[in-house]
Amino acid sequence: MFFVCRWREESPFSKRVVTVPDATVLDWFRRGWEHDDPHAWIDSELGGDVYGLESIFEEARKRHLPRPESVDDLRALLIGHLWVEGDDEDTFIRLGEHALRVRTDDDEVDLAYYFLDDAAVAASPDRLAFLLHDTWPLPTSAAACGAVFSPAVPVRTVWLVPPGPGSVYSVRLCWQSPDTYRNLDLPGATVFPGLALPDLATHLRDADDLDAHTWPHDAHLLKALVAPEDNDVGAALRRYARLPGYAPSPAGLDHAPTPDPNRGDVGEPGVAQRPTESLIRLDPHVAQVARYIDDFFGFDQWFLFDTRWAAANPDLARSLLRYATHWDPFEA
């Protein structure tokens, strides 16, 4: 069985993926039900803290709650005693036969965690492949020209060219965006129809600035990052990787500190130099950035991919689009 924590993790993907030996979610909770030190047990079992999860075990000991005998028992106990925070707590604990999904917040950011048994994983790769992927970078294989792909989830559309074959998808996973109230109130990915990834920068560069102000924030930010001389998105994403702060914006391009060659700073004038922890991988049909922010927030991510990459990696592509659409992969 798998456990995933979507939070401020050290991972470039801002999530922690762990395997546990139990066959079911119920089995895992039953095994830890009467543990003397829930904090230590969770830390050992799940590779670190999981905000609020220890509360169910603490309440079980404090109130002498019976060990759950069924999924229905466990659901009632979790709803009654698991600590979650947020604006819609009644829907933040979701337990089925094969998966538990929980959303909460740590007073700084939203987070979610998941227990997924092998049956859930096998049945829903198009929902769970990205959630379970923990190795940087994503695969880079691409299908032949003429391949097709259907996203299967709603996306926001920005037209740069007339309709045509192929599309480019933009997924930015961040801690704050003008498009959202909270980091897990997700607006969904953006699609640029009629393009392949190698053509995106040219059409962004040539798009009307007035039109760009009506676009989703991430599309507007990407256009602002494209310089007049750019013919591909690689340089724009390198600029993004060096932007400061957890809520980067086009304004950050104008207010970044000037590099000091005496400190060994290198790069383009007017762009803040970021630590070497930022990661970037550029391939013809997928571009990936894990932008290091600081020791508190860790990373945010930006993925640009086109139909040829998505067609070669359909489960990964659809699950990534779902990851940008709803915190619960079974909802989107």
Side-chain angles (χ1 to χ4, degrees):
M1 186 171 68
F2 292 89
F3 169 80
V4 183
C5 187
R6 180 177 182 175
W7 196 14
R8 298 180 285 105
E9 300 286 342
E10 295 180 359
S11 158
F13 292 116
S14 300
K15 53 189 169 77
R16 183 193 336 157
V17 182
V18 178
T19 57
V20 294
D22 309 272
T24 69
V25 180
L26 178 63
D27 289 345
W28 187 84
F29 278 90
R30 283 176 53 82
R31 184 160 59 88
W33 199 250
E34 296 177 353
H35 204 282
D36 291 338
D37 188 344
H39 278 279
W41 185 70
I42 289 170
D43 191 82
S44 174
E45 281 278 309
L46 304 180
D49 182 35
V50 181
Y51 188 82
L53 179 56
E54 76 286 346
S55 62
I56 183 65
F57 301 107
E58 291 173 345
E59 288 293 289
R61 289 179 58 80
K62 177 181 176 181
R63 299 174 182 270
H64 305 288
L65 299 174
R67 190 193 305 260
E69 299 296 333
S70 67
V71 170
D72 288 341
D73 288 348
L74 179 58
R75 184 184 301 108
L77 288 162
L78 290 171
I79 291 172
H81 302 285
L82 179 65
W83 178 257
V84 296
E85 300 181 41
D87 296 334
D88 195 12
E89 296 176 4
D90 290 344
T91 66
F92 283 1
I93 300 173
R94 303 178 176 191
L95 176 63
E97 289 293 327
H98 301 287
L100 170 65
R101 296 90 70 204
V102 177
R103 173 176 168 174
T104 184
D105 75 72
D106 66 358
D107 299 326
E108 297 289 344
V109 298
D110 296 328
L111 65 127
Y113 56 88
Y114 313 85
F115 288 87
L116 306 158
D117 71 17
D118 292 350
V121 173
S124 302
D126 62 331
R127 296 180 179 275
L128 302 176
F130 178 75
L131 182 67
L132 295 172
H133 188 94
D134 64 348
T135 304
W136 176 269
L138 298 180
T140 60
S141 58
C145 185
V148 296
F149 170 75
S150 173
V153 295
V155 291
R156 300 173 294 169
T157 302
V158 173
W159 291 99
L160 297 176
V161 298
S167 294
V168 176
Y169 298 87
S170 170
V171 175
R172 191 168 78 95
L173 305 170
C174 61
W175 302 110
Q176 182 171 329
S177 167
D179 289 344
T180 63
Y181 172 59
R182 307 180 67 100
N183 61 283
L184 287 185
D185 291 337
L186 300 163
T190 300
V191 62
F192 301 92
L195 292 172
L197 185 57
D199 306 319
L200 179 60
T202 299
H203 291 285
L204 283 170
R205 185 189 63 208
D206 296 342
D208 187 275
D209 289 340
L210 291 177
D211 290 341
H213 283 284
T214 68
W215 296 353
H217 172 74
D218 293 351
H220 183 209
L221 175 59
L222 186 58
K223 175 175 170 54
L225 290 165
V226 174
E229 67 275 10
D230 290 348
N231 292 315
D232 63 67
V233 295
L237 292 183
R238 290 189 184 96
R239 294 182 191 105
Y240 177 74
R242 296 195 297 271
L243 281 176
Y246 69 94
S249 72
L253 296 171
D254 301 323
H255 301 290
T258 302
D260 181 354
N262 295 323
R263 295 198 310 264
D265 292 347
V266 295
E268 300 162 60
V271 179
Q273 300 304 300
R274 300 301 302 139
T276 56
E277 288 91 338
S278 292
L279 301 172
I280 185 166
R281 173 67 187 255
L282 303 173
D283 292 278
H285 299 284
V286 60
Q288 313 172 53
V289 179
R291 184 181 68 99
Y292 179 76
I293 302 169
D294 56 31
D295 290 342
F296 182 79
F297 286 100
F299 295 83
D300 66 12
Q301 301 80 30
W302 203 335
F303 303 94
L304 296 169
F305 60 90
D306 64 19
T307 296
R308 290 180 61 178
W309 181 84
N313 304 275
D315 289 335
L316 201 52
R318 291 192 181 99
S319 59
L320 176 55
L321 293 172
R322 285 192 166 94
Y323 199 85
T325 302
H326 200 280
W327 69 270
D328 182 352
F330 295 99
E331 178 81 11

